[in-house]
Amino acid sequence: MRLLLTTSQGIEDLAKGEVENLLSGLGVPFRVEERPLGVEGRVLAEVGEAYYTDEKGKKRELSVPTYLNESSRLLHRIIMEIASERFEGIGDDDPEKALKRIEDFVSELPVERFVKVSESFAVRSFRKGEHSVTSVDIARTVGKAVFDRLSRFGTPRVNLDHPAVIFRAELIGDVFFLGIDTTGDSSLHKRPWRVYDHPAHLKASIANALIELAKPDGGSFIDPFCGSGTIPIELALRGYDGRIIGLEKYRKHLRGAEMNALAAGVSERIDFVLGDATRLSEYVESVDFAVSNLPYGLKIGRKGMIPGLYMDFFSELSKVLEKRGVFITTEKRAIERAIAENGFEIRHHRLIGHGGLTVHTYVVE
Ligand code: SAM
């Protein structure tokens, strides 16, 4: 089985590592590839059949997509691949030609192997890049091709609102993917524990990527701008043993973080503190790891305040941080200045896609 896995751009290597780790536990042969056909935010896993022994000692097949849906912290979707194809020059095609190419291609695919004709289906689509067609055009065209193909075997049923089977068609640049979306309509990064929705919350998948980069080893851990608590909550859900602190200046968000932690069942594991990160040393004498999604000044506060805020925060951080910090922001110049002027060194830098923005991520020591 070939699984097309989606995640945020820029964390494909970490997602690949997670998938390899999870699949190793199953004892099946597998191969995982980052960015198949060069597409960002995608990982491809080829996996053999997996089995488990039930309580009566009977050997049963294990659904690898279900296992990944339940266990992954970095993936957004688990899609059973039907086909992947490069359509050279599709970006230059007029709409009719582009849709005809897609329709002809999908018509030849044995989609009947992936869905029973009696099951209702819908096509969801995703498009990224320069094209003359919209994602709605793609969904309609693929839907028609799937319907026509299934009509050879019976009477297909379309249900756009509550389909039993979701086909996912993606056109990213000149690469086209078709598969069965086993995750459903809600991406995995939308965590069920999020009962308080902070206006600038971090995707849980990216929170986990930052945690991976910090490599916390059981020592104390703080998110000094914790907002709705995404990073501390995800860390606690990983079963982290050390002390976890979430600091936030605004009571409303701190209350929200506490509610989220309660919903996640980890409120006992996190110390939430109301306070100002530019006075960090007043709340903690020392801390091993600091991981945070810094205020960017885009959605909250004013942009002009950012350089001063970062400078004051990193000055305080230099008094208390023992091991490693990981920070994410759009404000490259302000953070790099604050890092350098407060005696930290950048050990790693990468760009991550987050909500339409490309954000800079730094590991500092
Ligand atoms: N990662 C968080 C989440 O997923 O909800 C969002 C963090 S948001 C980008 C930045 C947070 O920093 C905001 O909640 C804001 O209220 C808080 N903040 C701004 N200035 C602060 C300061 N001086 N000290 C502590 N928190 C501050």
Side-chain angles (χ1 to χ4, degrees), residues 49-350:
E49 283 181 359
Y51 298 92
Y52 70 100
T53 309
D54 72 9
E55 59 282 7
K56 290 182 185 147
K58 216 170 163 197
K59 188 176 165 185
R60 293 193 179 275
E61 191 170 347
L62 184 137
S63 161
V64 177
T66 305
Y67 170 65
L68 291 179
N69 274 301
E70 285 175 359
S71 326
S72 170
R73 300 181 189 281
L74 286 137
L75 297 176
H76 295 174
R77 297 184 175 281
I78 322 293
I79 302 163
M80 281 168 58
E81 186 208 56
I82 299 175
S84 299
E85 180 79 355
R86 190 180 291 286
F87 284 119
E88 292 293 348
I90 196 162
D92 300 323
D93 288 347
D94 60 46
E96 226 168 275
K97 185 169 175 208
L99 295 175
K100 177 88 173 63
R101 286 174 79 177
I102 293 173
E103 185 173 351
D104 289 349
F105 178 71
V106 175
S107 313
E108 295 302 316
L109 299 173
V111 292
E112 63 280 3
R113 286 193 205 148
F114 296 83
V115 51
K116 290 197 194 93
V117 185
S118 57
E119 286 175 315
S120 63
F121 79 90
V123 177
R124 309 286 191 230
S125 60
F126 174 81
R127 191 193 63 77
K128 193 168 172 221
E130 296 288 320
H131 308 105
S132 61
V133 295
T134 65
S135 58
V136 177
D137 296 333
I138 295 169
R140 202 184 313 115
T141 301
V142 173
K144 181 179 179 298
V146 170
F147 189 94
D148 290 348
R149 171 104 193 175
L150 291 177
S151 298
R152 297 188 202 166
F153 307 91
T155 310
R157 289 199 298 133
V158 174
N159 184 336
L160 295 182
D161 296 326
H162 303 290
V165 176
I166 299 174
F167 284 88
R168 185 163 165 105
E170 300 194 329
L171 183 63
I172 305 174
D174 61 1
V175 175
F176 177 77
F177 293 118
L178 183 69
I180 303 289
D181 190 341
T182 69
T183 299
D185 277 327
S186 183
S187 167
L188 294 172
H189 74 74
K190 294 182 185 153
R191 299 292 205 249
W193 55 252
R194 195 179 291 288
V195 292
Y196 173 72
D197 197 7
H198 187 289
H201 75 245
L202 190 65
K203 277 190 182 142
S205 49
I206 299 180
N208 277 283
L210 303 186
I211 292 170
E212 297 276 337
L213 291 173
K215 301 191 181 79
D217 58 6
S220 54
F221 181 107
I222 190 168
D223 177 350
F225 300 86
C226 80
S228 58
T230 312
I231 297 168
I233 291 169
E234 286 293 320
L235 180 66
L237 286 171
R238 295 164 72 114
Y240 193 67
D241 274 343
R243 183 173 181 214
I244 309 175
I245 309 159
L247 184 74
E248 165 61 47
K249 189 171 169 184
Y250 298 96
R251 191 176 296 278
K252 177 181 161 189
H253 296 322
L254 194 75
R255 282 286 298 142
E258 285 167 345
M259 308 262 281
N260 283 337
L262 195 64
V266 293
S267 58
E268 305 279 286
R269 287 290 302 116
I270 306 168
D271 296 331
F272 285 110
V273 180
L274 187 69
D276 183 343
T278 63
R279 288 165 36 197
L280 188 61
S281 61
E282 291 179 19
Y283 313 100
V284 284
E285 235 172 69
S286 93
V287 68
D288 292 316
F289 301 94
V291 177
S292 204
N293 168 210
L294 301 177
Y296 308 164
L298 291 180
K299 294 181 177 158
I300 290 173
R302 279 173 293 131
K303 219 168 172 100
M305 294 165 53
I306 295 298
L309 173 71
Y310 287 11
M311 196 58 77
D312 293 347
F313 163 62
F314 276 94
S315 156
E316 280 292 288
L317 188 67
S318 69
K319 297 181 193 164
V320 299
L321 188 67
E322 301 288 343
K323 292 186 176 162
R324 200 170 299 117
V326 178
F327 302 99
I328 185 164
T329 178
T330 51
E331 301 310 295
K332 181 176 194 297
R333 194 197 292 234
I335 192 175
E336 289 186 1
R337 202 159 156 225
I339 289 171
E341 290 200 11
N342 290 291
F344 290 104
E345 294 216 3
I346 298 173
R347 297 281 182 230
H348 175 80
H349 168 262
R350 69 168 66 199

Side-chain angles (χ1 to χ4, degrees), residues 28-48:
V28 284
F30 66 82
R31 187 185 74 86
V32 187
E33 181 190 339
E34 273 173 55
R35 305 187 185 192
L37 299 170
V39 178
E40 290 188 327
R42 300 292 176 271
V43 172
L44 185 80
E46 280 189 47
V47 197

